[in-house]
Amino acid sequence: MLPIDDSPIVRDGKSVILAMDHGLEHGPVDFEDVPEKLDPAQVFETATHDTVTAIAVQKGIAEGYYPSYENDVNLLVKLNGTSNLWMGEPDSAVNCSVEYAAEIGADAVGFTVYGGSNHEIEMVEEFREIQEEAREYGLPVVMWSYPRGQGLKNDTKPSTISYATRLALELGADIAKVKYPGSREAMAHACRCAGDMKVVMSGGSKTSDEEFLSTVESTIRSGGSGLAVGRNVWQREDPTPLLDGLESVIYEEQTAGAALGNESEADATDAAIEG
Ligand code: FBP
């Protein structure tokens, strides 16, 4: 882990990474309710919102669309990924080099490690290579730290998520992206396990504004440094109100209620101070 507060993907110590690698990871099914978002340019437009500090995409999308947005969006290139067609033990093909990511303009790189998978050893060895190469290019490394595999049925258990953050710290990530472990206490422990490394929450499938912002608030109060989110943003027909809410909860440390206009500003500030 290196200090990355002066990186373009960090703003006031926090990051909001808009992930759009779902066409590979899940398939086009994720776009069924919002077919217009199949056009990557639409999601790049969303990433121009001030709240978003980077867009995370695979190299094919980066090559094709980032050039039109390079002045308005910071780029995180995901270096590995697997399709949902793969039925084997969790694994992820390395499909882009750090060198190529840097060449196409990346401000950071991302890499998935499935700790606990039968393929953990190979994935960690691959991570070693990309982490050391990223250091040569001065690019922060975000680890999608997702323990899962044969022996790990519940990948959001508190002990699993704290292991995920610690594993990322010890392997040299600069940010660990982990699933929310279900409670503020568990998230706080996961953040403590990460030492000074930043921990961001993974968005997950689409929920209501209230539910989503409350979980984000909980993450921030637990010492989290923001989130990496996909579906909860771009599966909304108009993501702007939710992004405005994230601005309030993440950067202004307001409560979810205040961000949604459900309580007075004074109440929100008091609540935020009390934690
Ligand atoms: P979401 O906020 O939509 O969950 O996106 C975050 C992300 O990590 C994506 O980068 C990735 O495609 C997806 O989640 C993978 O989720 P899972 O492996 O749990 O299906």
Side-chain angles (χ1 to χ4, degrees):
M1 174 211 70
L2 291 176
I4 55 163
D5 277 351
D6 58 358
S7 154
I9 73 157
V10 179
R11 176 185 146 202
D12 298 336
K14 311 266 179 32
S15 288
V16 175
I17 298 165
L18 183 62
M20 203 252 309
D21 56 345
H22 302 64
L24 173 67
E25 294 285 341
H26 296 165
V29 64
D30 275 8
F31 299 89
E32 265 173 11
D33 292 341
V34 280
E36 67 283 4
K37 305 291 173 65
L38 274 168
D39 174 8
Q42 297 244 349
V43 183
F44 270 85
E45 278 300 326
T46 300
T48 63
H49 191 288
D50 276 353
T51 300
V52 177
T53 59
I55 188 165
V57 290
Q58 290 282 342
K59 79 170 173 192
I61 303 273
E63 282 178 330
Y65 297 87
Y66 177 65
S68 308
Y69 289 89
E70 62 186 1
N71 296 323
D72 305 308
V73 167
N74 299 315
L75 178 67
L76 184 157
V77 176
K78 189 77 197 311
L79 301 178
N80 65 351
T82 338
S83 85
N84 216 10
L85 303 168
W86 167 250
M87 292 298 157
E89 180 72 359
D91 200 358
S92 199
V94 182
N95 42 37
C96 184
S97 64
V98 176
E99 185 184 3
Y100 191 63
E103 197 178 314
I104 59 178
D107 297 290
V109 292
F111 199 90
T112 299
V113 171
Y114 295 125
S117 158
N118 285 351
H119 300 293
E120 177 187 312
I121 304 301
E122 293 82 354
M123 295 190 89
V124 168
E125 287 174 357
E126 290 160 359
F127 182 78
R128 184 223 335 133
E129 279 180 32
I130 72 96
Q131 192 266 0
E132 291 177 5
E133 208 182 333
R135 293 291 180 245
E136 288 168 26
Y137 288 87
L139 296 176
V141 179
V142 181
M143 184 192 286
W144 274 230
S145 190
Y146 284 2
R148 61 177 63 158
Q150 257 182 20
L152 273 165
K153 298 272 183 272
N154 176 359
D155 64 5
T156 61
K157 230 173 30 183
S159 57
T160 303
I161 301 305
S162 55
Y163 209 153
T165 59
R166 187 70 190 192
L167 175 155
L169 169 70
E170 299 207 9
L171 294 179
D174 301 306
I175 299 182
K177 169 185 187 311
V178 296
K179 308 247 175 195
Y180 185 71
S183 74
R184 193 175 292 190
E185 195 188 11
M187 192 60 170
H189 180 61
C191 291
R192 279 195 298 277
C193 289
D196 289 336
M197 185 193 62
K198 294 181 189 298
V199 174
V200 297
M201 179 193 117
S202 189
S205 54
K206 189 178 154 201
T207 54
S208 68
D209 289 5
E210 290 74 11
E211 192 179 332
F212 185 60
L213 287 179
S214 298
T215 313
V216 175
E217 179 195 337
S218 203
T219 295
I220 297 299
R221 301 276 183 92
S222 307
S225 298
L227 80 152
V229 56
R231 291 162 290 176
N232 261 294
V233 169
W234 51 255
Q235 279 184 347
R236 282 170 160 76
E237 218 163 287
D238 177 10
T240 304
L242 184 74
L243 289 169
D244 293 344
L246 289 173
E247 173 77 26
S248 307
V249 171
I250 294 174
Y251 299 105
E252 295 161 20
E253 301 198 0
Q254 287 190 15
T255 63
L260 290 163
N262 296 339
E263 58 182 288
S264 76
E265 190 73 24
D267 290 347
T269 308
D270 287 349
I273 290 166
E274 283 158 21

